[in-house]
PDB file of all heavy atoms in Angstrom:
ATOM      1  N   GLU G  93       7.274   4.728   7.275  1.00  0.00           N
ATOM      2  CA  GLU G  93       6.666   3.440   7.311  1.00  0.00           C
ATOM      3  C   GLU G  93       5.724   3.386   8.624  1.00  0.00           C
ATOM      4  O   GLU G  93       4.564   2.894   8.606  1.00  0.00           O
ATOM      5  CB  GLU G  93       7.671   2.327   7.316  1.00  0.00           C
ATOM      6  CG  GLU G  93       7.153   0.996   7.109  1.00  0.00           C
ATOM      7  CD  GLU G  93       6.765   0.681   5.663  1.00  0.00           C
ATOM      8  OE1 GLU G  93       7.335   1.349   4.752  1.00  0.00           O
ATOM      9  OE2 GLU G  93       5.851  -0.149   5.433  1.00  0.00           O
ATOM     10  N   VAL G  94       6.352   3.860   9.696  1.00  0.00           N
ATOM     11  CA  VAL G  94       5.711   3.756  10.982  1.00  0.00           C
ATOM     12  C   VAL G  94       4.697   4.960  11.134  1.00  0.00           C
ATOM     13  O   VAL G  94       3.539   4.730  11.652  1.00  0.00           O
ATOM     14  CB  VAL G  94       6.687   3.858  12.157  1.00  0.00           C
ATOM     15  CG1 VAL G  94       6.076   3.771  13.536  1.00  0.00           C
ATOM     16  CG2 VAL G  94       7.799   2.778  11.958  1.00  0.00           C
ATOM     17  N   ARG G  95       5.127   6.104  10.722  1.00  0.00           N
ATOM     18  CA  ARG G  95       4.265   7.261  10.828  1.00  0.00           C
ATOM     19  C   ARG G  95       4.170   7.987   9.519  1.00  0.00           C
ATOM     20  O   ARG G  95       4.910   8.948   9.235  1.00  0.00           O
ATOM     21  CB  ARG G  95       4.844   8.223  11.879  1.00  0.00           C
ATOM     22  CG  ARG G  95       4.786   7.744  13.295  1.00  0.00           C
ATOM     23  CD  ARG G  95       5.098   8.865  14.203  1.00  0.00           C
ATOM     24  NE  ARG G  95       4.251  10.037  13.974  1.00  0.00           N
ATOM     25  CZ  ARG G  95       4.475  11.252  14.371  1.00  0.00           C
ATOM     26  NH1 ARG G  95       5.534  11.572  15.118  1.00  0.00           N
ATOM     27  NH2 ARG G  95       3.594  12.274  14.070  1.00  0.00           N
ATOM     28  N   PRO G  96       3.288   7.582   8.608  1.00  0.00           N
ATOM     29  CA  PRO G  96       3.229   8.194   7.263  1.00  0.00           C
ATOM     30  C   PRO G  96       2.980   9.623   7.241  1.00  0.00           C
ATOM     31  O   PRO G  96       3.210  10.397   6.295  1.00  0.00           O
ATOM     32  CB  PRO G  96       2.181   7.293   6.565  1.00  0.00           C
ATOM     33  CG  PRO G  96       1.472   6.624   7.543  1.00  0.00           C
ATOM     34  CD  PRO G  96       2.372   6.451   8.708  1.00  0.00           C
ATOM     35  N   GLU G  97       2.406  10.123   8.403  1.00  0.00           N
ATOM     36  CA  GLU G  97       2.100  11.554   8.455  1.00  0.00           C
ATOM     37  C   GLU G  97       3.191  12.379   9.003  1.00  0.00           C
ATOM     38  O   GLU G  97       3.041  13.570   9.186  1.00  0.00           O
ATOM     39  CB  GLU G  97       0.794  11.804   9.339  1.00  0.00           C
ATOM     40  CG  GLU G  97       0.997  11.698  10.890  1.00  0.00           C
ATOM     41  CD  GLU G  97       1.199  10.291  11.417  1.00  0.00           C
ATOM     42  OE1 GLU G  97       1.413   9.265  10.663  1.00  0.00           O
ATOM     43  OE2 GLU G  97       1.072  10.042  12.673  1.00  0.00           O
ATOM     44  N   ALA G  98       4.386  11.809   9.325  1.00  0.00           N
ATOM     45  CA  ALA G  98       5.467  12.486   9.946  1.00  0.00           C
ATOM     46  C   ALA G  98       5.850  13.678   9.093  1.00  0.00           C
ATOM     47  O   ALA G  98       6.056  13.626   7.815  1.00  0.00           O
ATOM     48  CB  ALA G  98       6.651  11.575  10.079  1.00  0.00           C
ATOM     49  N   ALA G  99       5.993  14.917   9.682  1.00  0.00           N
ATOM     50  CA  ALA G  99       6.433  16.042   8.928  1.00  0.00           C
ATOM     51  C   ALA G  99       7.927  16.382   9.331  1.00  0.00           C
ATOM     52  O   ALA G  99       8.525  17.247   8.622  1.00  0.00           O
ATOM     53  CB  ALA G  99       5.545  17.211   9.466  1.00  0.00           C
ATOM     54  N   LEU G 100       8.481  15.799  10.335  1.00  0.00           N
ATOM     55  CA  LEU G 100       9.825  16.045  10.750  1.00  0.00           C
ATOM     56  C   LEU G 100      10.772  14.904  10.529  1.00  0.00           C
ATOM     57  O   LEU G 100      10.185  13.766  10.786  1.00  0.00           O
ATOM     58  CB  LEU G 100       9.829  16.593  12.216  1.00  0.00           C
ATOM     59  CG  LEU G 100       9.061  17.808  12.549  1.00  0.00           C
ATOM     60  CD1 LEU G 100       9.014  18.087  14.077  1.00  0.00           C
ATOM     61  CD2 LEU G 100       9.681  19.015  11.840  1.00  0.00           C
ATOM     62  N   CYS G 101      11.940  15.143  10.253  1.00  0.00           N
ATOM     63  CA  CYS G 101      12.932  14.040  10.308  1.00  0.00           C
ATOM     64  C   CYS G 101      13.212  13.667  11.732  1.00  0.00           C
ATOM     65  O   CYS G 101      12.821  14.361  12.687  1.00  0.00           O
ATOM     66  CB  CYS G 101      14.267  14.394   9.555  1.00  0.00           C
ATOM     67  SG  CYS G 101      15.199  15.605  10.532  1.00  0.00           S
TER      68      CYS G 101
END
Side-chain angles (χ1 to χ4, degrees):
E93 193 71 30
V94 183
R95 292 193 51 198
E97 77 283 17
L100 297 174
C101 71

